[in-house]
Amino acid sequence: MTNISHLYAASATNGNTIILDPGDGSLVTMTLANIDTLPGFCCNYRLEYSGTHVFSGVGTYTLTAELSLRSGDIVNIPNPTMQSLCLTAEISVPDMNTSNTSVRFTNAQPNTYYVGNTMVHDVNAYDADGDSLTFNLGIPGGSNCLPMNPYFLPFQVGGGNDTCWLDVNGTFNFQDPWLLGAHAILIRCSEWRNGALMGRGRRDMKLCVNMLTDVAADAPDELPLLSSTSVNGIYALVLTTNSPVAVEVWDTEGRQVLSAQALSAGDALDLRALGDGAYV
């Protein structure tokens, strides 16, 4: 089992272990395997915990772990520093001969972008077993891993004309964000096989709004593209503007692997030092 958390500096206080309740009457100690410092204003730390557990028999298990208190910059939860961050997942063991790999969210939590006036976060869910996936929004867990009450969706605070929704691929859309700050959201992904529920994964995350719609409306309509060159691993930047842009490269776990470079159309981007994989 692996847990990857992106935390704000003030709330990165879990230490070297996480105590996980696998739902079968036992406890599992997950140890800190890696920690990275991130440059973003929203999440300053990426922590990766790992552990193992063997379930004794068939059944449906709910896994929970109560982590540190949430950070004070969250605007859609009353008294956020009094609420814990609770990790929750469900896994089904239908029989001892059926393998089941839980769904994985391959896009890092801090990665968001704008399409016009809409702020977008893609979870990029992947299931190695090929199970069918469905998505819905839920209420994040707080103290004692109970659903927080009250809890407000991002569009329910700030008094603007904003709205938010989740599409069929689990992509969260926040149209016309009205209030600066962090918003806590919970995206649930259910995996199905032959009509049977095999498990549920949850992404409890901070969606950090750092610009409002009047600024977002001026965002470019297209993202820069890369064109292959005659040298494998070196790409040319394709832009419709002559102005230089800042280009950064991140992996799908939220680690910056190439610092910002000011590049113009046609300039070369050397990625030969990176290993095989997907990058943003």
Side-chain angles (χ1 to χ4, degrees), residues 126-159:
Y126 171 74
D127 187 89
D129 304 314
D131 296 332
S132 299
L133 304 179
T134 60
F135 302 87
N136 69 296
L137 291 172
I139 299 176
S143 300
N144 298 316
C145 286
L146 297 174
M148 284 186 288
N149 185 20
Y151 168 76
F152 304 98
L153 287 168
F155 76 93
Q156 295 175 318
V157 294

Side-chain angles (χ1 to χ4, degrees), residues 4-268:
I4 296 175
S5 298
H6 294 82
L7 299 176
Y8 183 64
S11 62
T13 57
N14 295 305
N16 294 323
T17 60
I18 288 177
I19 304 301
L20 175 74
D21 181 352
D24 62 358
S26 64
L27 295 176
V28 178
T29 299
M30 301 184 67
T31 58
L32 182 63
N34 189 53
I35 182 171
D36 292 322
T37 301
L38 305 178
F41 79 99
C42 180
C43 298
N44 300 77
Y45 291 94
R46 177 190 180 276
L47 299 93
E48 181 176 334
Y49 293 85
S50 62
T52 60
H53 181 66
V54 177
F55 293 99
S56 60
V58 301
T60 298
Y61 301 93
T62 300
L63 293 73
T64 57
E66 189 171 357
L67 306 186
S68 58
L69 298 177
R70 296 177 185 264
S71 57
D73 59 339
I74 299 175
V75 297
N76 64 324
I77 300 175
N79 301 315
T81 57
M82 301 300 293
Q83 293 286 354
S84 302
L85 175 63
C86 180
L87 304 180
T88 306
E90 296 175 20
I91 187 170
S92 176
V93 183
D95 59 69
M96 303 309 293
N97 297 317
T98 299
S99 62
N100 182 29
T101 302
S102 295
V103 64
R104 181 184 179 190
F105 302 128
T106 63
N107 192 23
Q109 295 183 34
N111 292 339
T112 58
Y113 59 94
Y114 280 88
V115 178
N117 289 351
T118 301
M119 189 180 190
V120 181
H121 172 71
D122 298 319
V123 294
N124 289 350
Y126 171 74
D127 187 89
D129 304 314
D131 296 332
S132 299
L133 304 179
T134 60
F135 302 87
N136 69 296
L137 291 172
I139 299 176
S143 300
N144 298 316
C145 286
L146 297 174
M148 284 186 288
N149 185 20
Y151 168 76
F152 304 98
L153 287 168
F155 76 93
Q156 295 175 318
V157 294
N161 296 318
D162 48 350
T163 186
C164 63
W165 69 94
L166 199 67
D167 71 15
V168 295
N169 296 313
T171 299
F172 185 82
N173 297 267
F174 189 9
Q175 182 177 328
D176 294 327
W178 188 261
L179 187 63
L180 290 173
H183 298 72
I185 62 172
L186 177 69
I187 300 175
R188 296 190 298 194
C189 177
S190 302
E191 47 181 318
W192 305 85
R193 188 182 304 173
N194 299 323
L197 180 65
M198 299 299 294
R200 285 193 178 98
R202 291 170 170 84
R203 166 162 284 186
D204 186 331
M205 62 173 285
K206 288 201 313 181
L207 188 76
C208 293
V209 177
N210 62 348
M211 63 179 182
L212 301 181
T213 54
D214 56 341
V215 179
D218 296 329
D221 293 331
E222 65 172 359
L223 296 174
L225 300 177
L226 297 179
S227 175
S228 299
T229 68
S230 59
V231 180
N232 187 33
I234 296 181
Y235 300 87
L237 195 66
V238 179
L239 292 171
T240 58
T241 177
N242 292 324
S243 301
V245 297
V247 178
E248 302 174 353
V249 179
W250 296 66
D251 66 15
T252 57
E253 302 295 352
R255 292 176 290 225
Q256 188 177 19
V257 295
L258 188 66
S259 300
Q261 302 180 20
L263 300 177
S264 300
D267 285 349

